[in-house]
Amino acid sequence: MFGWFRNKSIKRLRLMLASIKARDYSLHFNEQNLRGEELKLAYEINDTISEFRDTSRRIESQYGYLEALLNRSNTYLIVADDLGEVDWMSEAAIKGLCGFKIEKLKQLSVLNETLVQELESLSAGQQKLVSLMIKGTMVEWSISMTRYNRHGMDMKLFSIEDVQSVLRQNEVDAQKKLVRVLTHEIMNSLSPIISLSDTLNHSIEEGDIDKTDLQMALQAIYRRSQGLLNFVESFRKVSRVSQPQKEWVVLNDIINDLQQLFPNPAITFVVEDGTENILVDQSQMEQVLINLIKNAVEACNETPRPHIVVKTYSDRPNNRFYIEISDNGPGMPPDVAEQIFVPFFTTKSTGSGIGLSICRQIISMHGGRISVESKEGEGTTFKLMLNNY
Ligand code: ADP
C-alpha cells in the first residue's frame, strides 16, 4: 500500500519534516499522480502542514502585536539569556541606553559598571532602586527582572524605569487635576455672584426692589466673594512652600515635640534609634508629621479601639531613613486614595484639602518621597522616605 512512500517519496517526506522543524511550511505533496490510500495520506499531510502554517502565522502576528505594544512603553526592556547574551531590546532601550542594540548585557558597562552588576545580581521578581551616574547625569532608576521560559530556554526580562520621568508624568497629571479643582471652585463662587447681580440690576431698572431682598442678595454676594477670597488665600499657602533649610537634627527632638503636642494614649511611638541624626528642616518636618498624625486621629474618630503608630527606622547602607504613620481607621477606597495629594481634595465637611498636598511638596523638596497604603476597613499607612544627604 505504501509503495509510493517506499519507492518515490521517502526522501521528500524527510525533507518536509526537516522544513517543518525549521518552521518552513512552504513544501507540500503533489497530489496529481496519487490514488487511493496514498492520495488520502498526501491530503492529510498537506492539511497538517497548512494547519501548522496558519498557527505559525497567528503566533507571529501575536508576537508582532506584543512587540509593538512593548515598543510603545517608555520603560527600557531587555531580554537576555542566563549567559547575558541579549536576545531583544525595546526601541526605548536601544535609543535611551547605548544608541544601538547590544549583544551582551556587559556592554552596558560603558554607561556605568555598577548598572551591569546591579542587573546581574537581581533575583527573579525583585525590584530595586539604584542611583547611578549615566552620561554625566545622576539618575534614579527602578530596575527589576522577571524570568520566563522560551522554547525550553531560561530567559530574563530586565526592565529599567526612570523614576524621575514617572514622577514628572505624575506631576503633569496632578496639574490637570488641580486645574479641574480650581475651575470648579471659582465657577461655584462666580456663577451665583453673576446671576444675583444680574437679577438685582434688572429689579433696579424696573423700580421693583424691596430693601430686604436687596440686602439678602448683597449678603449672598458678599459671602460668595469672601469664600473665593479664602480659597485664593489657601491656594497661596499651597503654592508658597519655602525651600527647606536642612540641618542635622537629633530624631528625638522631633519625636519629643510630637509627644507633647499629641498626649493621646491611642498614639504609640516606635523609634528605632532616637539618638540618630537626620538632615531635615525641623519645622517643616514637624508640620508634615503633625498633619499626618492629625489626619490619622481624625480618621479614627469612629473607631472603637483607635490605634495610631508612628514608627521610625533607617536604612544606613543607603543613607535613608523612614517614618511611617499607621492607623486602624476606616481606610480609603482606591478612588479616594488616588486623589488625596491633589490640592483642595477633601472628604471632610470642614476640611481644606491642602494638608497632604503641602506635605508632599515639603517631602519632595527634601528629595524624599511620601506614599500611602490603605485598605478599606483595615486602616491607612503613610510612609515617608528621606535621604540623609
Ligand atoms: P483635609 O484633612 O483638610 O481633608 P488633607 O489634604 O490633609 O486635607 O487630606 C485629604 C483627604 O485625605 C482627607 O479629606 C481624607 O479623605 C483623606 N485622608 C487623609 N489621611 C487619611 C487617613 N489617615 N485615613 C483615611 N483618609 C485619610
Side-chain angles (χ1 to χ4, degrees), residues 199-201 203-204 206-214:
T199 317
L200 280 183
N201 206 13
S203 310
I204 290 169
E206 285 161 18
D208 164 31
I209 184 118
D210 175 271
K211 200 174 157 203
T212 324
D213 287 351
L214 176 66

Side-chain angles (χ1 to χ4, degrees), residues 229-241 344:
L229 206 64
N230 293 343
F231 174 72
V232 172
E233 204 41 58
S234 49
F235 181 68
R236 218 185 263 163
K237 266 196 219 153
V238 176
S239 51
R240 269 210 206 141
V241 175
F344 311 109

Side-chain angles (χ1 to χ4, degrees), residues 48-85:
T48 310
I49 290 176
S50 108
E51 194 66 41
F52 270 132
R53 192 186 306 123
D54 289 351
T55 310
S56 151
R57 279 197 191 130
R58 252 197 327 273
I59 292 173
E60 259 170 42
S61 85
Q62 275 171 359
Y63 182 78
Y65 172 72
L66 284 177
E67 190 171 1
L69 209 66
L70 292 177
N71 273 330
R72 286 186 55 184
S73 159
N74 290 330
T75 306
Y76 302 159
L77 298 169
I78 303 173
V79 173
D81 64 15
D82 268 343
L83 300 172
E85 303 274 347

Side-chain angles (χ1 to χ4, degrees), residues 122-135:
L122 284 172
S123 46
Q126 187 190 2
Q127 186 177 26
K128 206 170 171 187
L129 267 185
V130 288
S131 305
L132 300 166
M133 186 63 91
I134 304 280
K135 300 175 193 163

Side-chain angles (χ1 to χ4, degrees), residues 353-372:
I354 59 174
L356 287 180
S357 129
I358 295 179
C359 288
R360 188 162 77 166
Q361 281 189 60
I362 293 178
I363 297 300
S364 64
M365 279 157 79
H366 272 76
R369 223 171 298 142
I370 179 167
S371 56
V372 64

Side-chain angles (χ1 to χ4, degrees), residues 291 295-296 299 327 332 340 345-348 351-353 355-356 380 382:
N291 199 81
N295 275 349
D327 65 66
M332 294 174 249
I340 54 173
F345 174 85
T346 181
T347 54
K348 300 172 190 165
S352 65
L356 287 180
T380 303
F382 281 90

Side-chain angles (χ1 to χ4, degrees), residues 46-307:
N46 285 343
D47 237 27
T48 310
I49 290 176
S50 108
E51 194 66 41
F52 270 132
R53 192 186 306 123
D54 289 351
T55 310
S56 151
R57 279 197 191 130
R58 252 197 327 273
I59 292 173
E60 259 170 42
S61 85
Q62 275 171 359
Y63 182 78
Y65 172 72
L66 284 177
E67 190 171 1
L69 209 66
L70 292 177
N71 273 330
R72 286 186 55 184
S73 159
N74 290 330
T75 306
Y76 302 159
L77 298 169
I78 303 173
V79 173
D81 64 15
D82 268 343
L83 300 172
E85 303 274 347
V86 173
D87 182 62
W88 180 84
M89 283 173 85
S90 65
E91 280 170 13
I94 294 176
K95 253 205 230 151
L97 293 170
C98 298
F100 55 90
K101 183 185 167 284
I102 52 170
E103 303 291 324
K104 287 177 185 301
L105 213 55
K106 287 221 178 326
Q107 284 172 266
L108 291 177
S109 59
V110 294
L111 296 173
N112 188 307
E113 280 283 346
T114 321
L115 173 63
V116 181
Q117 289 161 13
E118 292 284 8
L119 288 173
E120 285 177 342
S121 69
L122 284 172
S123 46
Q126 187 190 2
Q127 186 177 26
K128 206 170 171 187
L129 267 185
V130 288
S131 305
L132 300 166
M133 186 63 91
I134 304 280
K135 300 175 193 163
T137 310
M138 200 66 190
V139 298
E140 193 160 4
W141 281 352
S142 161
I143 59 172
S144 63
M145 188 270 280
T146 313
R147 267 188 184 282
Y148 71 100
N149 190 285
R150 207 186 59 203
H151 308 313
M153 280 253 291
D154 268 341
M155 303 301 280
K156 292 175 173 179
L157 169 65
F158 293 98
S159 120
I160 304 175
E161 200 164 13
D162 182 354
V163 178
Q164 289 305 323
S165 79
V166 175
L167 287 181
R168 272 194 296 276
Q169 186 51 48
N170 286 348
E171 264 168 36
V172 172
D173 292 347
Q175 272 171 14
K176 281 189 194 154
K177 283 183 191 159
L178 174 59
V179 169
R180 260 206 313 274
V181 176
L182 289 181
T183 320
H184 174 81
E185 206 57 42
I186 292 171
M187 289 315 283
N188 270 0
S189 292
L190 279 186
S191 308
I193 293 176
I194 291 171
S195 114
L196 271 170
S197 45
D198 192 42
T199 317
L200 280 183
N201 206 13
H202 275 104
S203 310
I204 290 169
E205 266 172 18
E206 285 161 18
D208 164 31
I209 184 118
D210 175 271
K211 200 174 157 203
T212 324
D213 287 351
L214 176 66
Q215 200 172 17
M216 272 171 62
L218 285 174
Q219 277 166 359
I221 290 178
Y222 177 80
R223 274 196 308 276
R224 293 312 318 154
S225 314
Q226 196 60 48
L228 196 55
L229 206 64
N230 293 343
F231 174 72
V232 172
E233 204 41 58
S234 49
F235 181 68
R236 218 185 263 163
K237 266 196 219 153
V238 176
S239 51
R240 269 210 206 141
V241 175
S242 53
Q243 272 300 326
Q245 305 299 314
K246 286 198 202 178
E247 324 173 275
W248 288 102
V249 182
V250 184
L251 183 57
N252 260 343
D253 288 351
I254 296 183
I255 299 296
N256 289 341
D257 281 355
L258 293 173
Q259 280 171 327
Q260 302 281 326
L261 282 168
F262 295 97
N264 181 336
I267 306 176
T268 312
F269 289 85
V270 182
V271 181
E272 192 186 68
D273 176 9
T275 60
E276 191 180 353
N277 280 303
I278 56 174
L279 187 61
V280 290
D281 179 319
Q282 182 168 354
S283 125
Q284 285 190 346
M285 194 48 58
E286 286 187 1
Q287 186 184 348
V288 169
L289 295 171
I290 289 169
N291 199 81
L292 295 176
I293 298 174
K294 197 173 123 285
N295 275 349
V297 172
E298 284 172 6
C300 292
N301 265 346
E302 314 267 297
T303 308
R305 269 186 294 281
H307 193 204

